[in-house]
C-alpha cells in the first residue's frame, strides 16, 4: 500500500478542513443558551484591542412653558464610559499520522468528530463568559454584574405560598421599570433549575388548574402590561449564584441591545492546518472576546434567596 509523504498529507488535511468546516457550521448545540439570552454584537473590528462600554441614564422632564419662552426644558442621556480589553482564545483539533495515511489510502474523508468537539468547546466557553464572566480577565456576566440592584426574597419559593411567589416575582420584574425609560417590567426571568422545576411541577391549589409556572406566566406584570409572554428560563449557574456563593439567585432584565450586548469581534474560526512534530497534524482555531456590556443596569434586577 502506498506511503504518502508529509507534503501530500498536509495538503490532504487542509483540503479536508474546508469540507469539515461546512459540516461543523451546520451543527446545533441545544445546551448553549447565550444566543437566546443576550444580543451578540460582532460589529467591532476583529483585531481591536479594546471596546468602550457606555452606560446610559436618562435625565430631564417636560414642563409647562410660556409661548414666547426661550428656556425650553431638555432631556437627554448621561453616559458613563469604561473600556474592556478584547482577549484572544483558541481551540482546535488534530489528526494523527496513521489516521491521515489510512484516509488517503482508502479514499475516504477524515472524521469531523473532533472538529465538532472543538466548536462545541468554543460555544461552551462563550456561554460561560456571557453568563458568569471570567475573573481572570476582569469580565462580569449576566448574573453577577456589579451595580445591578439586588433584592432579597423573604422566603425561598419552595417554602412560599402561591401569592407570595407571584408577589416576589412581580417585585423583581417590575423593579426594572422604576427609573428607566422603558416604563414596563422586564421581559425575561432566569431561575435556578431547582426553582424552575418546582414551579413547573407543582399544581395550583385552586380549581383553576395548571402549575405554579403557568400561573406566573399568566399573571405577571410584564404580560399584563404588554400582552406579551414573559420569557422564563432555567439556568444551572444560578444555583448558589447569589452573594457568597451559597444561595440561589434569580435574574430579571429586558433582553435587547439597548440594555446589554455580548461583544465577539472575532467568532471562532479554523486556521490552515499545520504539521506539529513528526506524527501530528493540527488545525488551530481562534476567537476574540470583549465580554458582556450591560449598558443600562437599571433595566436589570437580581433577587437572592429564591
Amino acid at each position: 500500500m502506498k506511503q504518502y509523504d508529509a507534503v501530500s498529507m498536509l495538503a490532504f488535511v487542509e483540503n479536508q478542513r474546508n469540507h469539515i468546516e461546512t459540516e461543523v457550521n451546520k451543527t446545533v448545540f441545544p445546551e448553549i443558551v447565550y444566543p437566546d439570552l443576550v444580543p451578540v454584537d460582532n460589529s467591532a473590528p476583529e483585531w481591536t484591542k479594546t471596546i468602550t462600554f457606555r452606560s446610559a441614564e436618562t435625565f430631564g422632564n417636560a414642563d409647562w412653558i410660556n409661548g414666547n419662552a426661550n428656556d425650553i426644558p431638555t432631556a437627554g442621556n448621561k453616559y458613563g464610559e469604561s473600556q474592556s480589553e478584547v482577549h484572544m482564545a483558541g481551540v482546535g483539533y488534530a489528526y494523527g499520522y496513521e489516521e491521515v495515511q489510512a484516509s488517503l489510502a482508502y479514499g475516504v474523508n477524515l472524521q469531523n468528530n473532533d472538529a465538532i468537539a472543538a466548536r462545541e468547546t468554543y460555544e461552551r466557553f462563550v456561554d460561560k463568559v456571557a453568563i458568569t464572566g471570567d475573573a481572570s480577565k476582569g469580565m462580569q456576566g449576566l448574573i453577577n454584574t456589579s451595580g445591578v440592584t439586588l433584592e432579597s426574597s423573604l422566603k425561598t419559593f419552595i417554602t412560599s405560598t402561591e401569592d407570595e411567589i407571584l408577589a416576589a416575582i412581580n417585585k423583581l420584574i417590575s423593579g426594572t421599570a422604576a427609573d428607566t425609560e422603558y416604563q414596563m417590567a422586564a421581559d425575561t426571568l432566569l431561575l435556578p433549575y431547582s426553582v424552575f422545576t418546582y414551579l413547573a411541577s407543582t399544581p395550583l391549589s385552586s380549581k383553576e388548574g395548571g402549575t405554579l409556572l403557568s400561573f406566573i406566566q399568566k399573571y405577571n406584570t410584564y404580560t399584563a402590561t404588554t400582552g406579551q409572554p414573559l420569557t422564563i428560563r432555567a439556568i444551572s449557574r444560578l444555583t448558589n449564584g447569589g452573594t457568597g456563593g451559597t444561595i440561589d439567585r434569580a435574574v430579571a432584565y429586558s433582553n435587547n441591545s439597548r440594555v446589554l450586548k455580548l461583544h465577539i469581534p472575532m467568532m471562532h474560526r479554523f486556521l490552515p492546518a499545520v504539521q506539529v512534530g513528526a506524527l501530528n497534524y493540527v488545525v488551530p482555531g481562534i476567537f476574540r472576546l470583549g465580554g458582556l456590556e450591560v449598558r443600562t443596569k437599571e433595566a436589570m434586577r437580581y433577587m437572592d434567596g429564591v
Side-chain angles (χ1 to χ4, degrees):
M1 188 172 287
K2 182 178 179 180
Q3 182 84 4
Y4 292 88
D5 60 28
V7 174
S8 299
M9 293 175 68
L10 183 60
F12 176 68
V13 173
E14 177 59 20
N15 179 265
Q16 289 285 292
R17 179 178 70 87
N18 298 323
H19 165 74
I20 288 170
E21 280 189 40
T22 301
E23 296 301 314
V24 168
N25 291 335
K26 294 179 181 178
T27 305
V28 177
F29 306 103
E31 68 277 16
I32 303 301
V33 296
Y34 76 87
D36 296 328
L37 300 184
V38 297
V40 176
D41 190 334
N42 306 121
S43 62
E46 289 186 341
W47 296 105
T48 186
K49 293 184 177 181
T50 61
I51 290 176
T52 300
F53 290 1
R54 301 188 75 193
S55 59
E57 180 182 350
T58 302
F59 68 86
N61 294 289
D63 202 353
W64 302 110
I65 63 170
N66 183 283
N68 297 314
N70 293 320
D71 53 340
I72 303 297
T74 59
N77 290 282
K78 293 185 292 185
Y79 293 101
E81 288 192 358
S82 62
Q83 285 193 331
S84 175
E85 289 187 38
V86 177
H87 299 279
M88 191 166 179
V91 58
Y93 61 99
Y95 295 110
Y97 186 89
E98 182 180 28
E99 185 178 7
V100 177
Q101 285 284 356
S103 292
L104 280 165
Y106 291 103
V108 297
N109 290 326
L110 290 167
Q111 293 293 316
N112 64 5
N113 295 346
D114 290 345
I116 292 175
R119 184 55 180 261
E120 183 179 9
T121 300
Y122 155 76
E123 295 287 2
R124 289 182 181 277
F125 185 94
V126 176
D127 200 64
K128 177 183 178 299
V129 170
I131 295 173
T132 64
D134 189 312
S136 69
K137 299 299 183 183
M139 294 179 177
Q140 296 179 321
L142 179 61
I143 70 171
N144 60 1
T145 292
S146 59
V148 172
T149 298
L150 174 64
E151 308 278 359
S152 294
S153 179
L154 298 177
K155 295 194 293 184
T156 63
F157 286 3
I158 294 175
T159 61
S160 299
T161 66
E162 296 167 5
D163 290 343
E164 288 171 337
I165 292 172
L166 183 62
I169 287 177
N170 279 333
K171 178 183 179 183
L172 178 61
I173 65 177
S174 298
T176 60
D179 300 310
T180 73
E181 72 270 29
Y182 299 103
Q183 299 300 311
M184 67 177 65
D187 59 20
T188 304
L189 174 66
L190 308 181
L191 298 170
Y193 262 106
S194 59
V195 174
F196 183 93
T197 301
Y198 172 74
L199 297 177
S201 58
T202 302
L204 287 172
S205 60
S206 66
K207 296 180 180 180
E208 182 178 342
T211 64
L212 287 173
L213 185 63
S214 63
F215 178 68
I216 292 165
Q217 287 176 319
K218 184 176 182 180
Y219 293 110
N220 69 83
T221 52
Y222 174 75
T223 299
T225 302
T226 66
Q228 301 299 313
L230 174 69
T231 298
I232 306 177
R233 297 287 295 267
I235 303 296
S236 61
R237 292 186 176 96
L238 287 169
T239 301
N240 295 327
T243 304
T246 57
I247 54 177
D248 293 350
R249 169 170 288 182
V251 178
Y253 64 103
S254 295
N255 184 2
N256 67 74
S257 58
R258 295 171 64 195
V259 175
L260 72 173
K261 291 181 178 182
L262 177 65
H263 293 279
I264 311 179
M266 179 191 291
M267 297 182 68
H268 184 256
R269 65 174 57 165
F270 292 118
L271 301 179
V274 294
Q275 184 174 358
V276 180
L279 301 177
N280 288 287
Y281 295 85
V282 174
V283 179
I286 60 171
F287 57 99
R288 304 187 77 241
L289 283 180
L292 182 73
E293 173 191 6
V294 178
R295 312 183 76 189
T296 309
K297 293 181 180 180
E298 292 82 3
M300 295 183 68
R301 285 292 189 279
Y302 299 149
M303 179 175 282
D304 284 356
V306 297

